[in-house]
């Protein structure tokens, strides 16, 4: 159980000195409890208090970053097994597996998929550089890959080759995925020497556990647990049991992010890799290595990831503005709904299917659904009138008919009062009825 | 001869007839002749149901008859009457089925239907189970006149009631050219009283098919038909003893008998009803069997849809302005006894709209009288508040306010389309009957527009409102038996559960204890469930074992304990929709409250939305709690921490809303006058230091209280 | 120091519901652990995969589907082809052409069609209805009657029409029924309670909690299924222990990613491949959350999801 704000507050100096940037100690304590602020932001906290809180506020799963500069990626820090309990913290990352022979061919394909979805950049964050036996060629590959602008994973259990690779790319903070029961002392030292996170694997879950424990003892604080590639079933079992041990059973040895290599688990099977990537997005994959990432795979996989990692209390939002559909011009009918992403997607999808040119007007409704926004006062006659004014809709669009969601039919009169010259039309309650509604509306 | 003896006598007659039919048929076809009722998997269904006996050949009936005879006991007890009644129906089935022995088709080419196939049982059974057919009637023997018979049958048809006819009433229907047949839901079953065997065969098969009742389970069949099959019997003279015996069988199955025969019949409430006026048969029958006819259409000349909820009717478009601020107006729901109400009666007392000048102000009093076995006067305000939504859905009608402060405008267009005062009654009647069908059996609407009468009635209505308010104010958590849970917001906050009590309304501010109670009674599986409070753990903090159990159950295990009166110890969780949030202000040992509308910062160093983000989502956050505005003046607010005296800061606007009641509470609890003047607001302070100064200056009682932390 | 794997076995379990008859009958549910957690308890019945056909014709305009169903002029033949896809456990028939706004095919025609389909295939049949509440009440009644004895699963018992579907399909004709609600645990539970109050046994009921394509609010689906399974297993909530059947195809094949043409979005590549990936991803996510069966459209999706299930069991 995470520490409550009040327990933290009791240990603050209670001076409201504002040195932490918060107006009061209470505000600070509440933010620490939420994980929004680090405890050491308070310069006046006693050592005793810090020790007392440090343990209790220490996360059950380590959180750290790999990569450097623009390519820095966060891993770990999860506190719950199910997203309805609390928001998941670090979204799973995608890596594409490359080796010296395939790099030149794969890189342009990897770079092609790079787009924005609801303000989030969707691209392959990592390159998994697979060592195939030739240290010289591996170093060459690492050298080339360093310029690709992606964070690197060195999948290499050969200490010499790994050292050579690290000498080239240590500054970009790659993940060195190479430790196992046999080489752990050596790899521990390597990772420490170059200051990189260390990936560890084991022939069994027990072996992985022991090796991780050993590495921790040796002082490696940033580990990634490779679930192995013996079989899909074992990999899934490992991913679940690792996460569960850490978060439910407070077993800190397994309190690290995981790595799943689908290029090994389902080689050559694009659809199965898509299926498995989806599975591991829900159930506890931190880094997912794929053979490739086409648009066809990326569209569902990144969409799913964005869904799963949303904050249940902070819904996804779309930007307020005018969204012309079906070739709408200034004369086209205006339709409005809220900025909640799900509502926007569903409504715009149905409007597109109607084929009727429409100007979809999205106002800031706090990212809530229609009824919730209305109940919270975020969608009202004044909010719509304000939007029409601020976005100078009357200068941009000549049509003066506004279609509002059926669920807020109650706003019709008030909107007409606030927007002289406009006619307000009430749409059906459900989005699925929109196609018929607009087809009929257009017909007369 | 008493009623019991008539039953026993009729049973004996039926048995003798059955035995002689049996013997006659055996003599004709032999005991080995097959006896298979067509198109059924349930053999002779009555005998299969009550004796678990599978009749396949004629000779099998011998033992069945013996068992029937054995059930016709003659002690003067109700049990014997029911047992003889059911046995009579089985005997009736024997008489009818003998006609089918040897594969004969006795009713082919006749006007009678006879046996029902399993397909027909299912076809009728499905709508009976779903109540799309609200029930069925068996009409036995001729009505006083052909016209009476036709009116009765058509009356039932219009109400969706399925009609079975036995005896002379069939010829009356034919003479009156009433279309008959299974598809039109009027079936001429047979000529003689033993045709009831076919109807009960249908009833017991429905119990086996839809209720999975096991053959041989005598009580279960009767129980199933009592609870699930809404049937009743209408009997006309001569009412022979055999009919009386079958009637006893019907009553055993829960089907009341309504007759116009007065001699040698004994009234039994809800069971045997004498109704001499045939024109009233339908209403009497439906009431006896608790059948409510669903309202689907609202009979008004303009459209009715939620799409019109937001319509505003401007002065120039107004035909008539019903304005409680200027003349006498009111809306008043009254609970009455069933006999005081004529269902669907809509009365206008006074001039209608057309007698007023266009745009004129009009006084209107609307009285909606309801009756129902489950109706409680506590629901009256719940219904009244919904009138606003109901009337706003009418195209061309705008409604605001409630009680005697209503304002209703009817537009010129609506008036031109024919909208008049009685249509307000139609809307309210239809909506009250359909939305509250679980509690309202009968409803009538009286609309008064006569100014002289209005004054008097308004005063009376006001007395009733006052009485309700008194009751509401006198209700405490201690003097009610149960609380209610509310999980309306779980779609946003999966683990949040509100426990609603008389002194603590839902944190959204919209669900009072009475609302929750009404919601529960109206929709037993809905979002509000009964929470018992038998196992008190700690009165001071408001903790009960059964409340904890309920919270565990309704949060699906996410929460295990809540207290209702403490902000520090397992405080109630908050969804996202609370009106206000309160949080501990440590410098003063007090509590600040901020409402959703207030966007500025509080002395806690946090705004409403910052506090909300760490409190919402159904997690317990000791020291912080979402709540409704009206909880602030409750004696249970912060009770465990010392009550409302802990309040040190509130935005001005919120203070204005709660001032009167909060002052009253503080006076009662601590004898402090004008407590609100001691509570700081944004005009005085937005930080802990100035807050403390203000409190010291005012001598706020919190400064003398125990530290909170 | 070895890893101490703490198992999570529940005493409560998901109901086991059988659909279909004979050798090809399938059992849904029965597990007492979270999906694919075979390290906690054996997976009683592997999740099942259905293939969906439509009375209005197969989902056209997708080259691979067009080719697969080419020449199948009757619904019976379409059904036969669908049933022959590798990895298919059951056939789902959608009567979208019976919706009053899109074809309004008569109940009698639908009954004729389903009889022919039933003669053509031996795998279990799931009926998806027309998506019109009023039409379904009549349609599903007649189909349940026509397929008496086939132990079909009738989807689409919704709040508005559950009474008639429960009475008819559930009670009169002893078929299995599916309670369909919006993505919300309490609405789902309420509908299950109402259906059980009609007298339909809970082992004869499954749930359709609704779905959403990956990227389109799938978090609600995932969290709702998570919570339903947790309540069913950990809380022993008998009104949430029904197996979950999730139609995925209809969601996946209607989002922009799966329908816009390659001409309009050349960098996205062929539409069919996008659609399959969308369908496979959504289905895998549903199964990962806890669906006991998914209903898919594309034969390639069926095969891929079947490979996934095999790999995990």
């Amino acid at each position: 159980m995470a520490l409550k704000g009040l327990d933290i507050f009791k240990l603050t100096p209670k001076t409201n000195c504002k040195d932490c940037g918060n107006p009061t100690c209470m505000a600070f304590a509440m933010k620490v409890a939420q994980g929004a602020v680090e405890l050491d932001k308070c310069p006046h906290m006693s050592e005793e208090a810090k020790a007392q809180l440090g343990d209790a506020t220490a996360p059950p799963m380590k959180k750290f970053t790999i990569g450097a500069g623009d390519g820095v990626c966060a891993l770990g820090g999860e506190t719950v097994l199910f997203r309805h309990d609390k928001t998941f913290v670090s979204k799973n990352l995608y890596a594409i597996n490359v080796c010296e022979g395939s790099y030149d061919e794969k890189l342009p394909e990897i770079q092609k998929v790079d787009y924005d979805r609801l303000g989030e950049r969707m691209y392959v964050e990592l390159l998994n550089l697979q060592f195939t036996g030739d240290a010289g060629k591996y170093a060459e590959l690492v050298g080339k890959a360093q310029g690709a602008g992606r964070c690197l994973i060195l999948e290499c259990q050969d200490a010499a080759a790994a050292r050579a690779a690290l000498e080239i790319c240590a500054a970009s903070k790659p993940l060195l995925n190479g430790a196992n029961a046999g080489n752990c002392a050596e790899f521990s030292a390597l990772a420490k020497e170059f200051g990189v996170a260390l990936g560890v694997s084991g022939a069994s879950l027990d072996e992985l556990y022991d090796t991780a424990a050993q590495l921790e003892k040796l002082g490696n604080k940033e580990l990634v647990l490779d679930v192995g590639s013996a079989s899909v079933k074992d990999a899934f079992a490992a991913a679940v049991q690792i996460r569960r041990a850490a978060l439910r059973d407070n077993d800190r040895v397994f309190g690290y992010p995981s790595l799943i290599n689908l290029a090994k688990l389902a080689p050559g099977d694009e659809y199965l890799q898509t299926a498995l990537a989806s599975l591991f997005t829900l159930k506890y994959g931190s880094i997912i290595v794929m053979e490739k990432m086409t648009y066809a795979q990326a569209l569902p996989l990144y969409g799913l990831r964005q869904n799963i990692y949303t904050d249940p209390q902070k819904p996804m939002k779309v930007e307020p503005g005018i969204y012309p559909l079906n070739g709408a011009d200034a004369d086209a009918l205006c339709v409005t709904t809220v900025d909640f992403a799900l509502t926007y997607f569903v409504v715009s999808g149905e409007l597109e299917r109607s084929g009727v040119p429409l100007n979809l007007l999205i106002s800031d409704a706090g990212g809530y659904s229609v009824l919730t926004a209305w109940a919270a006062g975020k969608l009202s006659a004044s909010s719509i009138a304000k939007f029409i004014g601020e976005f100078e809709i009357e200068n941009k669009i000549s049509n003066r008919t506004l279609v509002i969601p059926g669920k807020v039919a109650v706003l019709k009169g008030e909107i007409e009062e606030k927007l002289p010259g406009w006619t307000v039309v009430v749409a059906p309650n459900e989005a699925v009825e929109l196609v018929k509604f607009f087809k009929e509306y257009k017909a007369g | 001869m008493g009623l019991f003896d008539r039953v026993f006598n009729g049973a004996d007659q039926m048995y003798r007839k059955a035995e002689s039919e049996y013997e006659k048929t055996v003599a004709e076809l032999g005991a080995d002749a097959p006896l298979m009722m067509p198109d059924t998997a349930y053999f002779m269904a009555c005998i299969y149901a009550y004796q678990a006996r599978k009749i396949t050949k004629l000779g099998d009936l011998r033992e069945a008859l013996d068992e029937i005879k054995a059930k016709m006991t003659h002690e003067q007890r109700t049990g014997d009457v029911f047992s003889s009644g059911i046995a009579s129906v089985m005997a009736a089935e024997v008489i009818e089925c003998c006609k089918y022995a040897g594969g004969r088709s006795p009713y082919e080419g006749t006007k009678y239907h006879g046996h029902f196939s399993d397909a027909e049982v299912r076809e009728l059974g499905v709508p009976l189970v779903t109540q799309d057919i609200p029930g069925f009637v068996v009409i036995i023997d001729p009505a006083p006149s052909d016209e009476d018979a036709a009116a009765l049958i058509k009356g039932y048809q219009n109400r969706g009631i399925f009609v079975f006819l036995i005896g002379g009433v069939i010829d009356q229907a034919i003479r009156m050219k009433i279309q008959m047949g299974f598809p039109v839901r009027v079936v001429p079953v047979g000529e003689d009283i033993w045709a009831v065997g076919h109807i009960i065969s249908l009833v017991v098969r429905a119990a086996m098919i839809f209720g999975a009742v096991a053959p041989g389970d005598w009580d279960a069949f009767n129980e199933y038909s009592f609870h699930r099959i809404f049937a009743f019997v209408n009997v006309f003279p001569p009412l022979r003893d055999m009919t009386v015996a079958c009637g006893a069988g019907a009553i055993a199955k829960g089907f009341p008998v309504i007759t116009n025969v007065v001699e040698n019949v004994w009234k039994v409430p809800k069971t045997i009803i004498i109704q001499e006026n045939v024109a009233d048969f339908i209403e009497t029958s439906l009431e006896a069997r608790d059948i409510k006819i669903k309202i689907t259409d609202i009979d008004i000349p303009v459209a009715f849809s939620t799409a019109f909820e937001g319509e505003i009717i401007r002065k120039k478009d107004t035909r008539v302005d019903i304005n409680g601020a200027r003349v006498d107006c009111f809306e008043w729901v009254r609970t009455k006894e069933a006999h005081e109400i004529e269902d669907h009666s809509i009365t206008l007392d006074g001039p209608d709209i057309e007698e007023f000048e266009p745009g004129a102000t009009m006084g209107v009093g609307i009285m909606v009288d309801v009756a129902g076995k489950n109706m409680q006067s506590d629901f009256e305000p719940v219904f009244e508040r919904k009138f606003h939504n109901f009337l706003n859905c009418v195209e061309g009608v705008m409604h605001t306010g409630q009680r005697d402060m209503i304002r209703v405008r009817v537009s010129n267009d609506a008036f031109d389309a024919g909208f008049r005062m009685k249509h307000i009654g139609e809307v309210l009647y239809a909506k009250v009957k359909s939305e509250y069908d679980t509690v309202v059996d009968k409803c009538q609407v009286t609309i008064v527009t006569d100014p002289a009468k209005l004054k008097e009635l308004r005063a009376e209505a006001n007395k009733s409102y006052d009485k309700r308010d008194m009751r509401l104010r006198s209700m405490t958590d201690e003097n009610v038996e149960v609380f209610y849970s509310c999980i309306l917001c779980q779609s946003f906050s999966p683990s949040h559960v509100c426990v609603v009590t008389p002194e603590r309304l839902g944190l959204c501010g919209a669900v009072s204890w009475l609302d929750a109670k009404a919601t529960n009674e109206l929709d037993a599986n809905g979002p509000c469930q009964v929470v018992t409070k038998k196992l008190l753990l700690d009165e001071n903090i408001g903790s009960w074992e059964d409340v904890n159990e309920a919270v565990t159950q309704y949060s699906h295990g996410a929460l295990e304990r809540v207290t209702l009166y403490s902000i520090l110890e397992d405080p109630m969780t908050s969804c996202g929709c609370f009106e206000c949030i309160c949080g501990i202000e440590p410098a003063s040992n007090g509590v600040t409250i901020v409402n959703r509308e207030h966007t500025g910062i509080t002395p806690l160093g946090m705004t409403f939305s910052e506090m909300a983000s760490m409190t919402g989502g159904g997690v317990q956050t000791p020291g912080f709690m979402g709540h409704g505005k009206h909880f602030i003046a409750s004696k249970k607010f912060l009770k465990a921490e010392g009550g409302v005296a802990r309040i040190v800061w509130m935005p001005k606007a919120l203070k204005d809303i709660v001032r009167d009641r909060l002052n009253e509470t503080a006076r009662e609890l601590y004898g402090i006058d004008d407590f609100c003047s001691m509570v700081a607001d944004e005009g005085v302070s937005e930080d802990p230091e100035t807050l403390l100064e203000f409190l010291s200056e005012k001598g706020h009682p919190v400064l003398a209280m125990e530290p909170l932390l | 120091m070895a890893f101490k794997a703490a198992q999570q076995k529940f005493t409560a379990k998901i109901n086991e519901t059988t659909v279909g008859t004979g050798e090809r009958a399938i059992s849904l549910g029965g597990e007492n652990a979270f999906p694919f957690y075979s390290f906690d308890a054996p997976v009683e019945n592997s999740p099942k995969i259905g293939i969906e056909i439509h009375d209005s014709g197969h989902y056209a305009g997708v080259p691979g589907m067009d080719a697969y169903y080419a020449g199948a002029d009757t619904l019976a033949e379409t059904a036969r082809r669908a049933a022959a896809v590798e990895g298919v456990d059951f056939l789902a028939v959608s009567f979208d052409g019976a919706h009053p706004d899109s074809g309004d095919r008569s109940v009698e025609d639908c009954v004729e069609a389903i009889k022919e389909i039933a003669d053509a295939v031996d795998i279990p049949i799931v009926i998806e209805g027309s998506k019109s509440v009023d039409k379904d009440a009549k349609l599903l009644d007649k189909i349940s009657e026509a397929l008496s004895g086939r132990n079909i699963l009738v989807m689409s018992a919704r709040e508005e029409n559950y009474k008639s579907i429960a009475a008819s399909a559930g009670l009169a004709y002893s078929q299995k029924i599916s309670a369909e609600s919006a993505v919300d645990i309490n609405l789902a539970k309420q509908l299950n309670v109402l259906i059980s109050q009609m007298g339909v046994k809970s082992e004869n009921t499954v749930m359709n909690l609704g779905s959403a394509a990956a990227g389109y609010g799938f978090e609600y689906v995932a969290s709702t299924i998570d919570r339903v399974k947790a309540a069913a297993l950990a809380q022993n909530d008998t009104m949430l222990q029904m197996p979950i059947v999730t139609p995925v195809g209809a969601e996946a094949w209607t989002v922009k990613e799966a329908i816009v043409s390659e001409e309009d979005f050349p960098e996205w590549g062929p539409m069919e491949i996008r659609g399959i990936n969308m369908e496979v991803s959504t289905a895998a996510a549903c199964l990962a959350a806890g669906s006991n069966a998914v209903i898919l459209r594309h034969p390639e999706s069926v095969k891929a999801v079947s490979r996934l299930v095999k790999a995990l069991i």
Side-chain angles (χ1 to χ4, degrees), chain A residues 165-203:
Chain A
L166 283 171
E167 274 162 4
I168 300 168
C169 69
S172 64
K173 298 281 172 205
L175 165 66
L176 172 60
N177 186 15
N180 56 35
N183 67 12
C184 76
E186 208 172 349
F187 267 70
S188 162
L190 259 182
K192 279 193 283 186
E193 179 184 342
F194 289 97
V196 295
L198 185 58
V200 50
S201 55

Side-chain angles (χ1 to χ4, degrees), chain B residues 174-344:
Chain B
I174 292 170
R175 284 197 294 275
M176 295 302 290
K177 301 197 164 40
I178 287 178
Q179 229 198 330
M180 290 190 281
F182 206 92
V184 293
R185 300 180 173 183
V186 179
V187 179
V189 185
E191 189 178 3
D192 303 295
I193 183 63
W194 35 84
V196 296
H198 293 305
I199 296 167
I200 301 302
S201 160
L202 181 147
V203 169
V204 294
R205 275 183 280 164
M208 289 186 271
I209 294 170
F210 295 98
V213 177
D217 193 341
W218 184 286
D219 292 339
F221 277 100
N222 294 348
E223 201 145 293
Y224 183 85
S225 53
F226 177 75
H227 288 295
R228 302 266 179 159
I229 295 180
F230 291 87
F232 53 93
V233 184
N234 286 178
V235 195
F236 295 110
L239 190 62
R240 283 165 306 193
D241 287 353
M242 269 196 281
T243 308
V244 175
C246 292
I251 289 166
K253 297 193 74 57
F255 307 155
V257 177
I258 294 86
T259 182
N260 64 343
V261 178
V262 285
E263 279 174 29
N264 269 330
V265 178
W266 292 261
K267 283 190 229 177
V268 181
K270 300 225 74 160
T271 304
I272 303 175
I273 294 153
I274 298 171
Q275 172 55 268
E276 290 181 65
N277 186 358
V278 176
D280 287 340
F281 255 48
I282 296 179
E283 203 182 328
T284 305
S285 299
L286 296 182
E287 198 179 317
R289 192 62 184 104
D290 293 329
I291 293 175
K292 294 169 193 172
I293 306 298
K294 273 187 205 158
I295 313 281
T296 44
D297 294 326
I298 302 178
D299 189 14
I300 52 173
V302 291
F304 184 92
S305 158
T306 51
F308 300 109
E309 262 196 283
E311 204 181 14
I312 289 182
I313 293 162
R314 291 180 179 77
K315 186 95 189 140
K316 66 177 169 50
D317 302 321
T318 301
R319 179 62 181 76
V320 68
D321 192 6
I322 298 163
N323 189 342
R326 296 174 54 191
V327 286
D328 291 323
C329 293
F330 61 88
E331 287 167 351
W332 185 16
V333 174
R334 303 185 298 186
T335 309
K336 301 251 167 178
E337 293 299 322
H339 66 82
E340 296 176 281
I341 293 182
E342 187 188 338
D343 192 45
H344 204 166

Side-chain angles (χ1 to χ4, degrees), chain B residues 597-670:
Chain B
E597 295 79 13
H598 188 78
T599 49
I601 198 154
T602 69
L604 288 187
M606 292 180 269
T607 61
F608 176 87
S609 60
E610 281 174 314
M611 286 161 76
S613 75
M614 54 189 68
T615 310
V619 270
Q620 283 179 330
T621 314
F624 292 82
M625 184 174 73
H627 57 88
K629 284 175 185 160
H630 290 296
F631 186 42
I632 297 172
S634 165
K635 283 180 197 155
K636 297 295 192 290
F637 184 60
L638 306 173
K639 174 169 166 272
E641 287 78 33
V644 296
R646 289 284 181 189
I647 302 171
V648 294
W649 190 93
M650 264 193 274
K652 270 198 199 95
L654 180 61
K655 226 198 286 185
D656 288 342
I657 295 172
V658 301
R659 183 185 311 273
D660 292 347
R661 292 189 54 205
L662 181 56
N663 280 341
E664 195 185 316
T665 306
R667 199 175 301 123
E668 270 188 58
L669 287 180
Y670 320 107

Side-chain angles (χ1 to χ4, degrees), chain A residues 372-439:
Chain A
T372 318
W374 173 72
K378 305 260 182 195
L379 174 65
S380 63
S382 354
S383 80
I384 290 172
K386 191 172 152 215
F387 168 82
I388 301 267
E390 278 177 6
F391 280 75
E392 297 177 358
I393 303 297
E394 294 187 345
N395 296 335
K396 293 172 185 161
I397 297 174
S398 50
N399 194 302
R400 288 290 176 273
T401 298
L402 179 66
V403 184
I404 61 170
K407 285 183 177 155
V408 288
V410 61
L411 296 178
K412 175 179 152 75
E414 226 182 306
I415 296 175
E416 285 179 342
E417 295 215 319
K418 294 225 151 106
L419 292 174
W422 285 78
T423 308
V424 174
V425 173
V426 177
N429 275 351
E430 301 297 332
V432 288
E433 299 162 74
L434 286 173
V435 174
K436 189 167 172 246
F437 175 81
F438 279 107
K439 279 184 177 162

Side-chain angles (χ1 to χ4, degrees), chain A residues 132-151:
Chain A
T132 50
D134 184 327
K137 285 192 177 155
Y138 193 61
E140 204 176 300
L141 172 67
V142 172
K144 267 203 261 185
Q146 226 194 339
R150 308 291 154 113
C151 177

